[in-house]
Amino acid sequence: MAGTVLVSGGSGYIAGYVIRQLVGEGWTVRTTVRNLAREAEVRRVLAVDNAKLSFFGADLESDAGWAEAMAGCSHVAHVASPFPATAPKHDDELIVPARDGALRALRAAKAAGVRRFVMTSSTAAIGYGHAGVERPYTEAEWTNVHGPNLSAYVKSKTIAERAARDWVAREGGGIEFCTVNPSLVLGPVLSADMSTSVEAVKKLLDGSVPGLPNLSFPAVDVRDIADLHVRALNAPNMAGERFIGSGPTATMADMAVILKRRLGTEARRVPTIKLPDFLVRIAAMFDPVMRQVTGELSKPKTMDASHARDKLGWKTRPIEESVVDTARSLIDLGIVKV
Ligand code: NAP
């Protein structure tokens, strides 16, 4: 199928790959950016057939622009949501745009007669705030936003997905709504304006972490997660669906071994010593990016993506390829000097 689709947040990492795949498959794509002055730069980065892509200005925090962006669209991939590397002063700085932005996009979609709305949620809305879960998480689970040490980002994704689902149940009319819930997304970055999710690989490669924290992440490749969005846009009977988009779990130590083995001297700054949790907590007092993840130290989690595989025929590439391609892109774009 190929129609007219709006992908929100065209300047973003995941949205960029979703747009590339959709244009490649013949869709007419519209995208939103907060500031239309970025259109030329984002077009250069995406490097797709310009005639198939148009830009609209719309901010998650304002109604302006959403109706124009949606007009004539049959499908929406609502990808935009704040994902900063450091914690905001107040949780609402993330929760309000994530939640209200999703509701704005949904209301505009309904008014425009959109049939299918795929929202980019996260495993952040699934696997946090529960103590000692050792089995893989499934789509049946929800993050407990009242759990200890949850970041504003985790809360924002959970609250936004719940609010969107509640709105669709109450007022959605004929909209078929579903979510894609990615884990940590890795893979080649398209520009220096890159997602927070590649920070782990960047910090290993540039040597800015002195050792390896006991952190592990269920991870997935950005090209595979874009493909999951496109499958969710295309497949029949998606109303209410929720798809975990994840490959296996990798530790920081696993990633370091991959980088050392595959990049040789270019990985010379990648640390090899494992850091005890107490040292990481001390270091995090001086590093706001690290502070975001200390709640996850020594708490490996896994995600069960069998629903996406079984229902949508989705496949993932090996984590090794994603880690190496992330690093390669950071080096090639001059973001990390090795
Ligand atoms: P990203 O590159 O930082 O993209 C975020 C996008 O959201 C950017 O286009 C950004 O626009 C836009 N945005 C943020 N605040 C906005 C606002 N107030 N109004 C309009 N647009 C706004 O991050 P990403 O990794 O691609 O994330 C995309 C989506 O995937 C998000 O919903 C994120 O929660 C979700 N996700 C990501 C991961 C991951 O590991 N990367 C995992 C699970 C879920 P600007 O360029 O103007 O800032």
Side-chain angles (χ1 to χ4, degrees), residues 8-16 32-35 38 42 58-62 66 78-84 93 97-98 101 119-124 153 156-157 180-186 193-198 220 222 225 229 245:
S8 65
S11 53
Y13 180 45
I14 296 175
T32 61
V33 284
R34 288 196 243 200
N35 179 356
R38 292 192 66 192
V42 176
D59 193 300
L60 296 170
E61 301 195 66
S62 156
W66 289 100
H78 178 56
V79 188
S81 199
F83 187 17
E93 288 175 42
M119 174 171 165
T120 314
S121 183
S122 173
T123 52
Y153 175 72
S156 78
K157 296 305 287 181
V180 168
N181 296 59
S183 57
L184 183 83
V185 180
L186 298 175
D193 177 18
M194 63 202 186
S195 172
T196 298
S197 59
V198 298
V220 66
V222 67
I225 218 63
H229 281 78

Side-chain angles (χ1 to χ4, degrees), residues 285-305:
M285 290 161 72
F286 307 99
D287 183 333
V289 177
M290 285 298 295
R291 220 173 294 149
Q292 293 265 82
V293 289
T294 48
E296 294 306 302
L297 285 165
S298 297
K299 283 189 204 155
K301 49 169 89 76
T302 52
M303 293 287 157
D304 177 357

